[in-house]
């Protein structure tokens, strides 16, 4: 990649990128060549990883866009995104928010609403508003059909809205 002329943006995909040694190898190489200051990078994380090495990478690139995958700020998130732990995830998101203040990186909460998360979806929006962070819905859930929120019985939808103050 260091030999590609005029490269300005790299988006890393595939599983949990921040667990992959290749992510760090590529980033370290771009930092060593001085190209990182001219390149923006992006990826999505499940928020289970926050390390000094990652913080260093974020500080060295021109710009970083980090999508933060979360379904709710409630222990149901641990069930949906097993084996995550909501306390660790929330702590790491807060660390990313603090780093955003220092680096200007772009953060967004990435949600995929489903029948398990819909009852606590308001926790994402409260966090979003309290922390000046956007939420992007990845409304891509087609299979299994039983998890699609539009299939919830009307009575259950009414109960959720009533219990959540809507």
């Amino acid at each position: 990649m260091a030999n590609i002329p005029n490269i300005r943006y790299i988006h890393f995909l595939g599983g949990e990128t921040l667990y992959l040694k290749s992510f760090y190898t590529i980033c370290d190489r771009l930092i060593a060549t001085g190209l990182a200051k001219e390149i923006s990078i992006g990826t999505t994380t499940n928020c289970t990883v926050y390390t000094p090495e990652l913080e260093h990478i974020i500080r060295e690139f021109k710009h970083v866009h980090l999508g933060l995958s979360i379904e709710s700020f409630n222990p149901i998130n641990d069930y949906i995104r097993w084996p995550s732990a909501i306390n660790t995830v929330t702590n790491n998101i807060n660390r990313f928010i603090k780093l955003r203040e220092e680096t200007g990186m772009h953060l967004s909460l990435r949600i995929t609403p489903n029948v398990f998360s819909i009852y606590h979806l308001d926790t994402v929006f409260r966090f979003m508003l309290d922390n000046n962070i956007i939420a992007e819905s990845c409304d891509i859930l087609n299979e299994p059909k039983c998890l699609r929120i539009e299939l919830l019985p009307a009575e259950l939808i009414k109960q959720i809205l009533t219990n959540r103050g809507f």
Side-chain angles (χ1 to χ4, degrees), residues 56-160:
H56 171 72
I57 286 169
I58 290 169
R59 292 179 185 282
E60 292 298 318
F61 276 82
K62 179 179 179 179
H63 186 73
V64 175
H65 181 165
L66 198 55
L68 308 169
S69 288
I70 189 161
E71 302 310 326
S72 75
F73 287 90
N74 178 281
I76 194 70
N77 191 76
D78 300 348
Y79 177 76
I80 297 168
R81 294 189 165 272
W82 187 87
S84 71
I86 193 60
N87 292 336
T88 299
V89 167
T90 302
N91 184 49
N92 287 341
I93 290 174
N94 285 325
R95 293 173 78 184
F96 285 125
I97 288 170
K98 184 175 185 225
L99 188 58
R100 172 187 67 179
E101 294 167 8
E102 300 170 21
T103 64
M105 89 171 136
H106 178 80
L107 297 175
S108 60
L109 301 175
R110 304 211 59 213
I111 57 176
T112 307
N114 65 64
V115 296
F116 296 115
S117 66
I118 193 66
Y119 188 81
H120 298 286
L121 191 58
D122 64 310
T123 63
V124 175
F125 294 116
R126 282 191 189 110
F127 189 90
M128 175 188 77
L129 294 170
D130 290 346
N131 293 282
N132 193 29
I133 187 171
I134 67 166
E136 303 174 76
S137 176
C138 303
D139 194 17
I140 57 171
L141 183 64
N142 289 318
E143 298 293 336
K145 289 182 182 178
C146 62
L147 293 181
R148 293 170 45 190
I149 57 177
E150 68 267 19
L151 299 177
L152 283 172
E155 187 58 36
L156 186 54
I157 293 171
K158 183 179 176 183
Q159 178 185 348
I160 290 169

Side-chain angles (χ1 to χ4, degrees), residues 43-55:
T43 194
T44 299
T45 177
N46 63 17
C47 307
T48 59
V49 176
Y50 190 105
T51 63
E53 185 178 12
L54 176 60
E55 190 173 305

